[in-house]
Amino acid sequence: MPDKLVTLRANYERAIERAKAPINLQYRNALQRLRTEYTKAGNLDAALAVDKELKSRFTDPSAPPSSSSLASRSYAKINAGNMTISKLAPGKKLYEESEYVWTSVPEAYSGMHFAQPKNKHTATTTFDIESDGLVYLAIYSRIQDEDADKNDNMLSRRDIERQGWKEMKGENLLSTEDNPKWLVFAKVCKAGESFTLRTDKYCAPIVLIK
């Protein structure tokens, strides 16, 4: 997308989040009080129902995942064009035409798949969102923090964050033979969104899906 459109949409989304923030905080605090009230009263069924509402509304998609939390989330369906959808597991080839393989896949990502680029020099990843849900994005660690080379249409970490991607923290990172640390970002995407992403001169971002 044109830089001005990216900035305009990012500003729009931030404005919406700012407007929703006090309403969300008020509702979350009320739910927490209600959960405590039911717990103290010994009404565990009601307390669990409130807890479920809390987690479904306010779970941060960028928080370090556990196997159980990933299993309970709703994942987006994507159209990855001609890319092959392959199981995410140690020993699986990262690119169709390459010998590089995934060497470390945390247990939290068990059962997930990825859109496999053609080769290491594909550079750009393009995909469309077909249904609402969570998408993870693995990015080669050479990504620049700011001021990426715009002549090559490369996005910096700041550019990615402006689009709404949140970087994962903790130990839930991926590794391959040529890179011990692939950064992982998460975003709750909407049906109809399209992404064309380049964050490195050679290595394309890898889309992770359920």
Side-chain angles (χ1 to χ4, degrees):
M1 291 185 292
D3 289 344
K4 289 185 178 180
L5 175 56
V6 171
T7 301
L8 184 63
R9 189 167 75 173
N11 290 339
Y12 164 72
E13 291 175 347
R14 280 197 295 268
I16 291 176
E17 291 305 315
R18 285 196 298 269
K20 291 194 303 184
I23 300 172
N24 287 337
L25 180 61
Q26 183 180 22
Y27 185 45
R28 178 161 55 182
N29 289 342
L31 287 172
Q32 290 171 338
R33 290 194 297 270
L34 185 60
R35 180 178 59 185
T36 299
E37 176 186 329
Y38 281 136
T39 301
K40 288 182 177 179
N43 191 342
L44 296 184
D45 287 340
L48 286 172
V50 176
D51 186 67
K52 183 177 180 181
E53 173 69 1
L54 262 169
K55 289 178 178 178
S56 67
R57 294 281 184 179
F58 301 110
T59 298
D60 184 355
S62 68
S66 64
S67 298
S68 59
S69 68
L70 284 177
S72 66
R73 291 177 179 174
S74 175
Y75 288 83
K77 292 182 180 179
I78 71 164
N79 179 350
N82 294 327
M83 285 191 286
T84 300
I85 304 300
S86 183
K87 184 177 180 180
L88 182 65
K92 287 288 186 179
K93 293 174 65 173
L94 182 57
Y95 312 102
E96 285 189 50
E97 301 174 355
S98 172
E99 295 307 314
Y100 291 113
V101 299
W102 296 107
T103 54
S104 175
V105 177
E107 184 179 351
Y109 297 112
S110 176
M112 294 193 70
H113 294 73
F114 69 100
Q116 188 181 53
K118 191 72 173 177
N119 57 58
K120 186 176 180 179
H121 299 115
T122 299
T124 300
T125 294
T126 299
F127 60 98
D128 301 318
I129 306 299
E130 296 186 333
S131 68
D132 296 357
L134 188 63
V135 176
Y136 284 100
L137 193 67
I139 293 178
Y140 200 87
S141 59
R142 277 191 303 237
I143 185 172
Q144 299 180 52
D145 288 333
E146 294 187 49
D147 299 322
D149 187 352
K150 300 301 181 183
N151 292 329
D152 287 331
N153 296 319
M154 286 197 299
L155 301 173
S156 67
R157 186 192 302 258
R158 190 173 181 83
D159 292 327
I160 290 292
E161 290 172 346
R162 284 194 186 109
Q163 292 188 19
W165 297 94
K166 295 184 179 181
E167 186 175 355
M168 302 286 289
K169 304 297 182 182
E171 301 301 320
N172 296 285
L173 303 180
L174 300 163
S175 64
T176 58
E177 289 176 312
D178 65 326
N179 184 16
K181 186 175 73 172
W182 280 75
L183 307 178
V184 180
F185 291 75
K187 181 179 180 180
V188 176
C189 298
K190 298 293 185 182
E193 286 188 281
S194 296
F195 296 93
T196 298
L197 306 173
R198 184 180 186 185
T199 55
D200 185 80
K201 187 173 183 179
Y202 301 111
C203 301
I206 306 295
V207 186
L208 310 179
I209 54 177
K210 193 68 173 178

